């Protein structure tokens, strides 16, 4: 989903009188601005509340201190019709039964007066009492256009002497896809610090910023990109194919509808360069390299193996674009053809 699609979905829910929405995101500032622009375009009122800052704009100019959740929920009903209220980090207060009860009591009036409460924060835990009345939305991370605008802003403000061509810009932007806008801004500034030109090290530095995304995972291992195609002896067919297909990730190729490479199967004896090739492929593409040992997915407890795979796929979707290195795939699926009828867990994983 793109940012535009997410905003269109949000618009339709507001117009359909969804009374409580939860925006699950770390990018509070970015989405506050996006939603403010959307609500202004819709011709509705927009109010932002936090426990420390209170409501802006406040209903009364006489408020000497920020209204706390219960007080503000009472105040919401006094605002004119057709309003959207953005509530920042309300989740810690949802453990209070009075706050939950107040929200439930307010729903009929919110629907009647065309008001929507939009909770925003990094936590998506909702009390059971509100589960059926709250719709959780997962807004997308910044796409190519947002990241490119951020890159140009960083260069204009911090590195005005630096000149980028379109190919370099695309490469840098793709390297940070999967990060938040704030993370990307810091990554751009760090990778370009003290440089006169954009080199291969810049891309590697950007890719390394995604290391934290797999930290804590017992199934995935992040690799720094040190080896390149020049470190591989032979395999000329692979190198030629990769040079051609790497262009499929360019903006021009996407506009032409050229599909991305699906992957590569490397088979051979130990020491023939399979692992080195995986590392070199990731460096050639300028994408993170994440290793998964398929045998580590398997657990004795029923359902755990499938859950492990779902978690791996979720993480990889977040990091994308990336290179997923499936190690020792033959050992993980050894004898699968003969055992498929009896090993239901392996069949589901495949």
């Amino acid at each position: 989903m793109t940012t535009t699609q997410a905003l269109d979905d949000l618009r339709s829910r507001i117009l359909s009188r969804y009374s409580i929405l939860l925006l699950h995101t770390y990018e509070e500032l970015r989405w506050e601005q996006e939603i403010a622009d959307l609500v202004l375009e819709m011709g509705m009122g927009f109010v932002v509340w936090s426990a420390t800052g209170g409501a802006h704009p406040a209903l009364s100019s006489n408020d000497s201190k920020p209204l706390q959740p219960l007080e503000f929920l009472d105040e919401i009903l006094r605002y004119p019709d057709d309003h959207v209220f953005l509530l920042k980090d309300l989740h810690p207060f949802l453990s209070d039964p009075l706050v939950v009860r107040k929200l439930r009591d307010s729903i009929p009036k919110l629907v009647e007066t065309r008001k929507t409460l939009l909770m925003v924060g990094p936590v998506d835990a909702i009390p059971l009492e509100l589960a059926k009345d709250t719709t959780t939305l997962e807004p997308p991370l910044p796409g190519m256009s947002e990241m490119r605008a951020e890159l140009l802003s960083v260069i204009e403000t911090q590195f005005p002497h630096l000149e980028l061509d379109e190919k370099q810009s695309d490469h840098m932007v793709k390297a940070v896809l999967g990060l938040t806008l704030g993370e990307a801004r810091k990554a751009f500034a760090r990778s370009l610090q003290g440089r006169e030109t954009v080199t291969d090290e810049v891309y590697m530095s950007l890719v390394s910023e995604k290391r934290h995304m797999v930290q804590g995972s017992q199934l995935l291992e992040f690799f720094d990109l040190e080896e390149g195609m020049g470190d591989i002896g032979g395999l000329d067919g692979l190198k030629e194919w990769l040079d051609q297909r790497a262009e499929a990730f360019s903006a021009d190729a996407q506009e032409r509808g050229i599909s991305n490479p699906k992957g590569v199967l490397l088979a051979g004896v130990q020491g023939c360069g399979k692992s080195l090739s995986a590392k070199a492929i990731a460096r050639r593409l300028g994408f993170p390299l994440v290793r998964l040992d398929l045998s580590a997915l398997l657990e004795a407890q029923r359902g755990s193996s499938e859950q492990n795979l779902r978690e791996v796929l979720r993480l990889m979707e977040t990091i994308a674009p990336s290179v997923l290195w499936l190690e020792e795939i033959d050992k993980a699926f050894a004898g699968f053809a003969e055992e498929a009828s009896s090993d239901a867990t392996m069949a589901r994983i495949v």
Side-chain angles (χ1 to χ4, degrees), residues 3-236:
T3 298
T4 300
Q5 291 171 330
L7 291 172
D8 287 342
D9 179 56
L10 183 57
R11 181 204 304 271
S12 69
R13 293 181 188 277
I14 293 173
L15 293 176
S16 302
R17 303 193 187 187
Y18 280 59
S19 52
I20 304 178
L21 299 172
L22 171 61
L23 205 63
H24 181 213
T25 178
Y26 285 93
E27 295 190 284
E28 180 183 281
L29 289 176
R30 174 183 167 226
W31 284 100
E32 178 182 346
Q33 186 58 56
E34 295 281 5
I35 294 167
D37 293 340
L38 173 67
V39 173
L40 179 62
E41 179 187 325
M42 295 171 65
M44 301 179 70
F46 185 57
V47 178
V48 178
W49 173 89
S50 71
T52 54
H56 297 278
L59 193 60
S60 171
S61 59
N62 298 325
D63 293 334
S64 58
K65 61 179 182 178
L67 295 176
Q68 293 307 295
L70 276 175
E71 300 170 309
F72 181 64
L73 291 175
D74 275 331
E75 194 88 338
I76 283 174
L77 301 180
R78 296 174 49 206
Y79 276 86
D81 297 354
D82 299 296
H83 262 68
V84 174
F85 300 86
L86 185 72
L87 284 66
K88 298 180 179 181
D89 290 335
L90 186 67
H91 58 272
F93 302 99
L94 295 179
S95 59
D96 184 347
L98 293 179
V99 171
V100 174
R101 185 66 256 177
K102 174 60 70 175
L103 283 168
R104 298 187 70 190
D105 290 341
S106 301
I107 289 173
K109 192 67 175 176
L110 293 172
V111 174
E112 179 186 338
T113 56
R114 299 177 299 281
K115 296 174 183 175
T116 297
L117 304 186
L118 183 53
M119 299 182 285
V120 60
V123 178
D124 62 352
I126 292 293
L128 182 62
E129 298 91 332
L130 292 172
K132 293 295 185 180
D133 297 307
T134 304
T135 300
T136 301
L137 306 177
E138 298 272 355
L141 290 164
M144 290 282 291
S145 58
E146 291 101 332
M147 288 300 196
R148 185 173 286 105
E150 195 63 35
L151 172 59
L152 295 177
S153 174
V154 169
I155 291 176
E156 181 180 345
T157 56
Q158 300 185 46
F159 309 98
H161 63 281
L162 198 63
E163 292 186 3
L164 287 182
D165 59 34
E166 186 175 352
K167 189 172 183 179
Q168 290 172 325
S169 174
D170 281 348
H171 202 159
M172 291 184 66
V173 165
K174 286 189 175 118
V176 297
L177 289 177
L179 301 179
T180 66
L181 212 57
E183 288 173 328
R185 184 185 310 116
K186 290 180 284 189
F188 287 141
R190 174 176 171 267
S191 65
L192 295 173
Q193 201 70 43
R195 299 188 186 275
E196 297 296 326
T197 59
V198 175
T199 63
D200 197 38
E201 284 70 26
V202 170
Y203 308 131
M204 300 308 103
S205 174
L206 292 174
V207 166
S208 70
E209 291 292 325
K210 293 187 179 181
R211 176 184 294 276
H212 74 276
M213 301 174 78
V214 299
Q215 285 178 346
S217 173
Q218 302 299 314
L219 302 170
L220 297 173
E221 181 181 3
F222 191 98
F223 279 80
D224 290 320
L225 306 182
E226 299 175 352
E227 295 87 351
M229 299 305 291
D231 296 307
I232 301 175
L235 297 182
D236 294 331

Side-chain angles (χ1 to χ4, degrees), residues 302 306 339-349:
R302 181 176 177 83
E306 296 89 330
E339 300 172 7
S341 59
S342 59
D343 193 345
T345 297
M346 185 59 72
R348 286 194 294 270
I349 287 179

